[in-house]
């Protein structure tokens, strides 16, 4: 619980829209591709990028290039991101 609280405190640079992206990603099971931007309420991949970048800078997301198709990118929640999600859901129950 202490680690979760500390990780959550480290997310001060994450804005409300980035949190909405993160929450939607949690709902989707933790991974997506940039081409699914409409699922997150954006009109383009470029519009979603700053929010993904903020989450990556907070070490809650990571991007990986598909090994079989170098044009395809996958975005996933990191273990730290899942811990932050736990901390946020615990805060809501209190």
């Amino acid at each position: 619980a202490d680690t979760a609280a500390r990780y959550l405190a480290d997310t001060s640079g994450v804005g409300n829209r980035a949190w909405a992206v993160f929450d939607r990603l949690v709902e989707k099971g933790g991974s997506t591709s940039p081409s699914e931007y409409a699922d997150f309420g954006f009109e383009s991949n470029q519009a979603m990028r700053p929010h993904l970048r903020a989450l990556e800078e907070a070490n809650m997301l990571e991007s990986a290039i598909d090994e079989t198709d170098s044009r395809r990118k996958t975005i996933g929640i990191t273990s730290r991101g899942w811990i932050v999600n736990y901390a946020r859901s615990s805060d809501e129950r209190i």
Side-chain angles (χ1 to χ4, degrees):
D2 290 337
T3 299
R6 190 173 66 249
Y7 286 177
L8 181 58
D10 287 343
T11 63
S12 60
V14 177
N16 289 338
R17 188 65 177 111
W19 280 120
V21 169
F22 181 78
D23 292 339
R24 179 68 182 121
L25 189 56
V26 167
E27 291 172 8
K28 289 177 62 87
S31 67
T32 192
S33 72
S35 64
E36 296 176 353
Y37 59 85
D39 290 349
F40 294 85
F42 294 97
E43 292 188 19
S44 70
N45 176 4
Q46 293 79 12
M48 188 167 74
R49 276 189 198 154
H51 308 292
L52 295 174
R53 191 173 308 116
L55 293 165
E56 284 180 332
E57 289 172 0
N59 296 315
M60 295 176 14
L61 294 185
E62 61 186 358
S63 300
I65 303 295
D66 189 304
E67 292 178 13
T68 58
D69 182 354
S70 61
R71 296 169 296 167
R72 183 163 169 76
K73 186 177 185 181
T74 302
I75 300 161
I77 297 176
T78 63
S79 55
R80 183 183 185 109
W82 285 115
I83 292 170
V84 168
N85 182 59
Y86 164 79
R88 290 177 72 223
S89 63
S90 295
D91 281 351
E92 291 172 8
R93 287 184 286 212
I94 296 173

